[in-house]
Amino acid sequence: MIAQTESASPYALDEEDRGSKDETINSNNAEQEMSLNDLLRGSGLGKTQLFFWTLVFLVTTMQLSVYFQTAILMPYLHCEWDLNSGLEAVIGSSCPVFITVSGVVAGNLADKYGRKTVLLVTTIFLAIGSITIAASPNVWVLLAGRILQGISHGLGYPVAYIYAAEITDSKNNELAILSVGVGAQFGGVFIALVSYFALNEIGWRYLVAVVSTPLPFLIIGLILAPETPRFLLVRGKGEEALQLLKKMYKWNGVPFPERCLSIKAASLEKAGRFSRIFHSEFRKLTILLTIIYFANLYIYLAFAAYLPLTSADTEELPNFPTLNETSCGEVLDRKDIFKSFIAFLGDVVGCVMTVFLGKRFGNKLVVASFAALALVTTVSAVFDLNEIFKVIFSMLLRLCVTGSRILLWLISVEGYPAAVRSTATSFILGIGETGGTVGSFLTYLLYPISSVSVVSLFVGIAAVQLLATVLLNTGNKDKDIVLANPAVTASM
């Protein structure tokens, strides 16, 4: 039996604060109702979570491997089609641009049509884009494939975090977000590793095909995967949600509680409304998270672009590889690929460390600490440091960016109710993604005019980021399960 609320506000009660404690008896006093969070906690951690988290881990690995793919392949593309700097810039920026466009314009699709549906469709887009690039007869077809990959990333990447978090209870959100965050960083490890051993031997087209090999299997896995119980519940599909929860208990080898024969749910008719994330309740959170995400990428890429301009030796940064010689036909420098591999491997370690620090000391405190460290790092650019200190500061800044980003995903997923969760996270990613492009562009534009203006900009933005983290309020806002309102029971 499913209990459905009548005329209930979807934002009337915080499930995390009250849902796990409030157990009520319905009108016939025969069936005890439980919150969704109670039921998810009762199922424990088992085969269900292992399967879903492995699935989203691999999906995000593919998303990020193709995101970094073109940067590694650009020297070969330049030689094959004699690209000028303008076309190289268009190809390089096409993915970030369409991440922004798709995230802002269509980020609410997962709130309207489901997490699984969007993950499946975007993974198909990713596969089509990769095939298009591998078989591209000219640069324009390759660009079309790159645009498809950008749309896939902008819509699918944020949903992977949501899907992972909604398959477990709120107490295990850190593990859920970690599974996706590590998968994302492992995407860089994966593309660098494959490129190191195979690129010079098989060529860039076959490399793209090899890297894309897991995608058909992931598509099959997503077809077989169910929707999340939270999405089903808030969309008024309580019966389906209850049946899925029973399966989850069965897969985890835990008996389903006999006393729970009904779930009380609020049906949300306005899911995916963009205006909702700027509602008075969420406006501050949306603005602050967007500022922090934008500043995060701006600082890192502006700083990464600035250091080589001030040094005759650019070895301090883990740059993407270039050809050994300026003439075409030379093999790719494996030393640069190896540096990229080590840098991404360090990001994986940074993700794990950051999540555990957040759980121990609080997400807000850790994000604010990273923002303060980023400010100190950018201020160091004012001084004439030797190369060793530049290496240290660039590594610290990379840790700040990677660590902050995974905690920002956790705060974003927990900070919005399920009805607008994808809308909010996709918008934040979309706008935030422009930070890196703006940062590197302004650095190259302003440095010949005044290096002081470059340093002043990213120090100022680092200060704004720190202020935004101080003002940020964190906490779980799963307000989809309303336990305090009168219920009307309906038989299954």
Side-chain angles (χ1 to χ4, degrees), residues 135-147:
S136 55
N138 55 57
V139 66
W140 304 111
V141 175
L142 180 139
L143 183 60
R146 192 64 178 157
I147 290 172

Side-chain angles (χ1 to χ4, degrees), residues 124-155:
I124 292 173
F125 278 10
L126 194 66
I128 294 173
S130 297
I131 294 171
T132 302
I133 290 173
S136 55
N138 55 57
V139 66
W140 304 111
V141 175
L142 180 139
L143 183 60
R146 192 64 178 157
I147 290 172
L148 274 177
Q149 290 179 338
I151 294 172
S152 171
H153 187 100
L155 296 179

Side-chain angles (χ1 to χ4, degrees), residues 83-123:
L83 301 179
N84 57 40
S85 58
L87 276 176
E88 288 183 6
V90 169
I91 294 172
S93 63
S94 58
C95 192
V97 166
F98 278 88
I99 288 174
T100 298
V101 172
S102 59
V104 172
V105 174
N108 62 350
L109 291 179
D111 289 329
K112 291 184 175 181
Y113 303 108
R115 296 26 170 147
K116 169 195 168 175
T117 300
V118 170
L119 275 178
L120 175 60
V121 172
T122 54
T123 304

